[in-house]
Amino acid sequence: MTLSSEEVERYARQIVLHGLGGPGQNKLKVARALVVGAGGLGSPALQYLAGAGVGTLGIVDDDEVALSNLHRQIIHGTGDIGRPKTESAAAAIQRINPHVAVEPLAVRLDAANARPVVSRFDVVLDGSDNFATRYALSDACFHERRPLVSAALGEFDGTLTTLKPYEKGADGRPNPTYRCLFPDPPEPGTIPTCAEAGVLGALGGVLGSLMALEAIRAIVGGFGDGDEGLVGRLLMIDSRAMRFETLRYAWDPDNPLSGIRAAAEA
């Protein structure tokens, strides 16, 4: 795969990066990234992935644009109210970068359909707003051996991690799964929705941009010396205190996907 002269000029500031270069840009050009949720997290992630030159972007969302979305879901505009989010986001991506192909999927992912969808892409970004989708998606990425970038938004806080549980870490142990970090979903009603508790739009922009950065890292295979990423690390952002912290977490031998019992039964 080679870049056209127009693409070389478009991505010039990325191509000169020693940790990316022409080979990395070509990897982005042929990559297929799936973004689940074209909302507060997916909106900035999609825009930066499109700008970076990821060749194909899949967009999963079964909702329509509402006026109350627009303070944080910045890929959509006032004129898009009532329009399917996949359609609105696809149009915005084409305005950003006509070299990017878009595959809109106006569905809700669940345990029944997640694996066939995930299998068609190289990397998955989870910006969903419900726990059923999160667990179905993380399980599907484990079984299909796809890297998963997972983020969550609170009122003034958020978290981000990258999962590659099909690989082993430097210590020879498997990388953790999503279920190693969060073994079980919370009881229904214990975590308020953003409609109930509110959400700070700019914080979604920060986390969504970081999601795109982690996805690009996964596609190009890292950025050279000093590269670490968020595999086995949970980034926690507290916007009130303006504090960024990382928590290390590890493989749980009792987890139902890659734990000792699961391996014995495989």
Side-chain angles (χ1 to χ4, degrees):
M1 180 65 67
T2 57
L3 303 171
S4 67
S5 58
E6 195 276 339
E7 288 173 303
V8 170
E9 182 176 357
R10 177 183 288 270
Y11 309 126
R13 301 302 184 270
Q14 281 187 168
I15 292 173
V16 298
L17 289 169
H18 291 298
L20 198 147
Q25 193 63 56
N26 272 308
K27 288 180 181 179
L28 292 171
K29 181 174 180 176
V30 299
R32 295 172 54 82
L34 177 68
V35 178
V36 180
L41 294 167
S43 287
L46 284 164
Q47 289 173 302
Y48 275 107
L49 292 173
V54 174
T56 302
L57 293 175
I59 309 172
V60 174
D61 202 305
D62 64 346
D63 201 3
E64 296 180 346
V65 180
L67 181 60
S68 61
N69 298 150
L70 299 183
H71 86 289
R72 66 195 185 282
Q73 300 182 17
I74 57 172
I75 203 167
H76 314 293
T78 303
D80 295 315
I81 293 172
R83 193 178 186 185
K85 288 184 179 179
T86 51
E87 182 181 309
S88 172
I93 289 167
Q94 288 303 297
R95 291 193 298 270
I96 293 169
N97 190 346
H99 297 284
V100 176
V102 180
E103 295 184 7
L105 299 164
V107 299
R108 180 174 288 268
L109 290 187
D110 55 29
N113 64 12
R115 286 188 65 175
V117 173
V118 163
S119 67
R120 294 162 44 198
F121 294 88
D122 303 312
V123 62
V124 179
L125 294 82
D126 181 9
S128 61
D129 60 359
N130 67 90
F131 289 102
T133 299
R134 288 185 178 279
Y135 281 84
L137 190 58
S138 67
D139 290 355
C141 287
F142 169 80
H143 290 295
E144 296 298 328
R145 300 176 65 85
R146 297 295 190 269
L148 171 64
V149 181
S150 181
L153 271 177
E155 298 169 53
F156 294 94
D157 60 278
T159 59
L160 173 68
T161 192
T162 297
L163 297 132
K164 295 183 179 181
Y166 49 87
E167 296 180 353
K168 292 185 178 180
D171 60 0
R173 290 158 60 91
N175 286 330
T177 70
Y178 187 81
R179 291 180 181 271
C180 296
L181 182 60
F182 302 112
D184 299 296
E187 292 295 324
T190 58
I191 304 295
T193 66
C194 68
E196 297 166 334
V199 61
L200 192 62
L203 181 59
V206 171
L207 274 165
S209 299
L210 290 172
M211 290 178 77
L213 179 61
E214 282 294 283
I216 292 169
R217 187 196 311 276
I219 291 168
V220 304
F223 301 133
D225 294 342
D227 185 85
E228 184 175 4
L230 288 175
V231 174
R233 302 167 68 215
L234 181 69
L235 174 65
M236 300 174 289
I237 301 176
D238 179 349
S239 65
R240 283 195 174 109
M242 212 53 179
R243 184 168 58 238
F244 289 62
E245 298 179 342
T246 53
L247 169 73
R248 291 193 178 274
Y249 63 99
W251 172 68
D252 177 3
D254 294 324
N255 86 79
L257 294 175
S258 63
I260 294 174
R261 178 177 296 179
E265 294 174 352

